[in-house]
Amino acid sequence: MSAVEVADGRALAASDDGEARAIVDATYATSENLAVGDTIDVGGTDVEIVGIVASATADADTAADVYLPLATAQEISGAGDVVSTVYVQAESADSIEAVKTALEAELPDATVNSQSDLASSVSSSLSSASALISGLGTWLSVILLVVAVALAVLFTISGVSRRTREIGTLKAIGWSNRRVVGQVAGESIVQGAIGGVIGTVVGLVGAFIITAVAPTVSVAAESGPAGSAGFPGGMGGPGSMSEQATVAGDIVLTAPIAPSIVLLALALALAGGLVAGILGGWRAARLRPAEALRAVA
């Protein structure tokens, strides 16, 4: 209950142990028209509301929790003298690992997790998500590059088809297939270079705009207790809840520019133009001079 604050009434006290008393979330109390002193049905037992609490977490608007003394919850549920999780607060951060080791030795059947374990789990999840996003971005880039090259090849072949007279005439006056391919490939490389420069300039302008605007994303992370021990099978034991802290901050989005990326973009544009030019030139080299004569006629 360290993540909530009493908005009306009082919090649970040691004297409430075993009594049919509870506190409820403010959102739930408002939706059900409940107030301090009312009773609610919990598992067939009438429980008196002694307090209403408000939560400052992200799910405060949908919270519908009812907090009961442990003995009361055990009796209503019929589970007996069992608990599932115990939160343990160390006296200092330096003793957390020692406390964890002692708990593992005393409770070999329990799963003991410290705050560092939870942080490692979160970091691992974030790393996996980052790797997945990075891999997805790489494959999307490859797919877009293949599509761009395919379109360039189609446009080049289409342009060659419209230049039947010119290419057929050149072959008729003695141009070799290699010279025709070189001519078409050279033109395609120049077009690729022009397109690469224009695309790079547009990308640089977009990156500069993003960096100048510096859009921010607000984040909030809630840290858990210093340590917790989970007891499978309902193993019981005492424990105390440590305070939780909510850390908020802003992430500034930027678009860093690396010279290697600019050079890679230009190189890919030239390579795409070269591939399109070679394939288009090969298509032009297959053109027979007789076709040019028919087109002139």
Side-chain angles (χ1 to χ4, degrees):
M1 292 181 59
S2 61
V4 297
E5 296 180 355
V6 177
D8 190 15
R10 63 177 178 84
L12 292 175
S15 59
D16 296 319
D17 189 30
E19 301 294 333
R21 296 169 183 167
I23 59 177
V24 299
D25 280 309
T27 303
Y28 178 66
T30 301
S31 63
E32 298 296 328
N33 295 322
L34 299 175
V36 174
D38 293 345
T39 60
I40 58 174
D41 182 275
V42 179
T45 301
D46 289 335
V47 180
E48 179 187 1
I49 299 175
V50 297
I52 297 176
V53 295
S55 175
T57 58
D59 59 348
D61 294 337
T62 59
D65 294 325
V66 176
Y67 301 88
L68 300 168
L70 178 59
T72 304
Q74 291 172 335
E75 180 180 356
I76 293 176
S77 65
D81 187 18
V82 298
V83 295
S84 59
T85 304
V86 173
Y87 294 100
V88 180
Q89 181 175 356
E91 293 181 353
S92 67
D94 297 334
S95 61
I96 290 178
E97 289 302 320
V99 172
K100 177 183 176 182
T101 302
L103 288 173
E104 290 174 337
E106 293 292 333
L107 305 170
D109 295 332
T111 300
V112 183
N113 292 319
S114 66
Q115 198 168 30
S116 59
D117 295 331
L118 298 177
S120 298
S121 177
V122 172
S123 299
S124 177
S125 299
L126 291 177
S127 298
S128 299
S130 177
L132 178 62
I133 293 174
S134 178
L136 180 60
T138 300
W139 281 110
L140 287 177
S141 300
V142 171
I143 292 174
L144 290 176
L145 179 61
V146 171
V147 172
V149 173
L151 290 176
V153 171
L154 292 177
F155 288 141
T156 302
I157 293 177
S158 176
V160 168
S161 299
R162 291 194 299 268
R163 297 168 62 185
T164 302
R165 294 184 180 182
E166 173 189 345
I167 296 175
T169 302
L170 292 175
K171 293 200 67 177
I173 61 176
W175 276 41
S176 63
N177 290 342
R178 178 178 299 180
R179 190 172 182 182
V180 172
V181 172
Q183 175 70 24
V184 176
E187 295 174 358
S188 182
I189 291 175
V190 172
Q191 293 175 354
I194 295 174
V197 171
I198 294 175
T200 301
V201 171
V202 172
L204 292 176
V205 171
F208 284 134
I209 292 176
I210 293 176
T211 303
V213 174
T216 57
V217 177
S218 299
V219 296
E222 184 176 329
S223 60
S228 63
F231 298 89
M235 179 182 250
S240 64
M241 178 76 79
S242 64
E243 293 186 357
Q244 292 180 332
T246 299
V247 181
D250 293 332
I251 298 178
V252 180
L253 301 181
T254 60
I257 302 172
S260 59
I261 296 179
V262 176
L263 295 177
L264 178 61
L266 294 174
L268 290 176
L270 293 175
L274 178 61
V275 172
I278 291 175
L279 294 179
W282 175 76
R283 171 67 176 82
R286 297 178 59 191
L287 185 64
R288 293 179 299 176
E291 296 183 16
L293 296 178
R294 287 197 300 268
V296 173

